[in-house]
Amino acid sequence: MTLHIRPDLDDLPTYVPGKTFPGAIKLASNEVTEGPLPSVRAAIVDAATNVNRYPDNGMVELTAELAKKLGVTEDEIQIGCGSVTLCQNLISITAGIGDEVLFGWRSFETYPLATRIVGATPVQIPLTSDLVYDLDAMAAAITDRTRLIFICNANNPTGTVVDADDLVTFLRKVPPQVVVALDEAYFEYNRLAGRQAYDALELRKEFPNLVVLRTFSKAYGLAGLRVGYAVADPQVVTALGKVHVPFSVNSLAQSAAVASLAAADELLARTDAVVAERDRVTADLRGLGYRVPDSQTNFVWLELGDDTTEFAAQCVAAGVVIRPFANDGARVTITNQTENDAFLAFARGWASKD
């Protein structure tokens, strides 16, 4: 029996998450190693007593706390089941069959998948030689069918960021009716200075078509609870609300996110340790001869080309799981010194065999 399922889905690949196995050091999914702080854990436990009830579909308390923290109005905030869901919902509200969604490549794997799901066309612009979004080429690729543009900054999986002046110049070239999503999932790991320094929330004052996406999954350590948010013009927020899956942001996630905001200084101080490790690992890898771009995330990118698959397989055999992207490179999460040293030991051995 053949069921009535859209035939165009046959050619659509399935998103493949980072893998692991018992006893492995998992450096494949950009997770933090620490669990929630005691105050956040207590909020989760308290919320668990009411899981027999539906969560607040309006996410009222979390929306209010975020608006207060970010200095925006509540009608400029939309909460989602992770920022990845908001990426998909932005595509849903802007694009359809015959429309185009523009982004750099290689970048976040959900962009092309979610675009094809709605029948729109993904337009992938190669990164620069420095593995940064090529904003000049992207501006030249805008057509009258462009409906949405993603700028993953810092970019996943390369960890790179665009220069601030280049970003502003690009935004001024984008037609004002085209939505631009600035995906800042790794915002808390940014240590931007000089020509790279910018403030996305300030940019929104000049560019109403700009949407800022952030998440509690990374630095806040709530990857398993799935909660992210968009800061956008109320017109965009209203549209996002219409495609929001009811009750998809669960009660535990909402309570944990509110408690995390209250403990923000303590939680985000953890990022300083990761940044220090990121700098150390980057320096060591470069000393071994690897090409590693500057990262503004909790991971580093190794450009490995045709050696990528074999490198990753041997790394797994050594007990360390990383995220390979065939024929391009590998993404390695930065965690603590012990886990990072285990990866460096493998990388050192691989480099010495040549």
Side-chain angles (χ1 to χ4, degrees):
M1 178 178 65
T2 301
L3 301 176
H4 291 299
I5 296 175
R6 285 169 46 190
D8 59 302
L9 295 181
D10 291 344
D11 297 326
L12 192 66
T14 302
Y15 178 84
V16 179
K19 299 178 181 179
T20 190
F21 58 88
I25 296 174
K26 186 184 179 187
L27 304 180
S29 299
N30 304 338
E31 300 153 326
V32 299
T33 55
E34 300 91 348
L37 290 170
S39 61
V40 178
R41 190 179 305 116
I44 294 171
V45 171
D46 288 345
T49 63
N50 294 312
V51 293
N52 57 308
R53 305 295 185 185
Y54 284 105
D56 173 15
N57 193 51
M59 299 150 292
V60 173
E61 183 180 8
L62 179 53
T63 298
E65 291 300 319
L66 274 170
K68 188 187 308 180
K69 174 181 173 61
L70 300 175
V72 299
T73 62
E74 293 180 25
D75 60 1
E76 293 173 284
I77 298 283
Q78 176 64 43
I79 313 296
C81 183
S83 60
V84 63
T85 297
L86 292 165
C87 289
Q88 184 166 352
N89 288 352
L90 279 170
I91 294 169
S92 296
I93 68 171
T94 58
I97 295 173
D99 295 329
E100 295 176 346
V101 177
L102 181 64
F103 48 88
W105 194 256
R106 178 175 292 273
S107 194
F108 186 32
E109 292 172 280
T110 288
Y111 299 157
L113 297 179
T115 298
R116 292 173 63 185
I117 285 171
V118 302
T121 301
V123 179
Q124 302 177 179
I125 305 301
L127 304 179
T128 69
S129 60
D130 293 326
L131 304 180
V132 177
Y133 262 56
D134 190 338
L135 296 181
D136 287 338
M138 288 178 65
I142 296 172
T143 72
D144 59 1
R145 294 192 298 168
T146 304
R147 295 294 180 268
L148 175 65
I149 300 170
F150 282 106
I151 301 175
C152 192
N153 206 50
N155 184 42
N156 177 9
T158 62
T160 53
V161 296
V162 301
D163 284 357
D165 287 347
D166 292 343
L167 177 59
V168 172
T169 298
F170 173 78
L171 291 172
R172 288 174 178 162
K173 293 178 181 178
V174 176
Q177 70 272 19
V178 175
V179 175
V180 179
L182 191 59
D183 190 345
E184 294 190 322
Y186 299 91
F187 169 75
E188 290 82 8
Y189 294 104
N190 291 176
R191 299 295 184 271
L192 303 179
R195 69 179 191 274
Q196 294 180 334
Y198 75 96
D199 184 330
L201 299 180
E202 285 297 314
L203 285 178
R204 286 190 56 250
K205 296 176 181 178
E206 181 177 352
F207 304 102
N209 59 331
L210 184 64
V211 178
V212 180
L213 296 172
R214 293 178 184 169
T215 182
F216 286 89
S217 293
K218 309 303 180 184
Y220 287 95
L222 300 182
L225 287 179
R226 315 304 306 125
V227 57
Y229 60 94
V231 187
D233 184 88
Q235 182 182 356
V236 173
V237 170
T238 297
L240 286 173
K242 292 179 179 179
V243 297
H244 171 75
V245 176
F247 309 117
S248 57
V249 183
N250 68 73
S251 302
L252 304 187
Q254 293 185 46
S255 295
V258 170
S260 293
L261 289 175
D265 291 344
E266 187 176 0
L267 270 167
L268 300 185
R270 294 177 173 182
T271 64
D272 287 337
V274 171
V275 168
E277 277 294 286
R278 180 181 75 197
D279 294 344
R280 181 181 73 91
V281 171
T282 298
D284 284 1
L285 288 171
R286 287 174 177 169
L288 294 170
Y290 293 95
R291 187 187 181 203
V292 183
D294 290 337
S295 173
Q296 292 289 343
T297 62
N298 68 334
F299 58 82
V300 294
W301 170 261
L302 282 71
E303 194 169 8
L304 299 166
D306 294 340
D307 291 333
T308 299
T309 300
E310 180 63 19
F311 181 95
Q314 293 299 319
C315 195
V316 169
V320 180
V321 182
I322 61 175
R323 184 66 181 269
F325 297 84
N327 303 317
D328 280 346
R331 190 189 68 199
V332 183
T333 308
I334 299 298
T335 58
N336 56 50
Q337 183 175 349
T338 300
E339 293 186 343
N340 298 334
D341 281 346
F343 170 72
L344 286 172
F346 167 78
R348 190 173 297 110
W350 175 277
S352 66
K353 73 180 181 63
D354 295 332

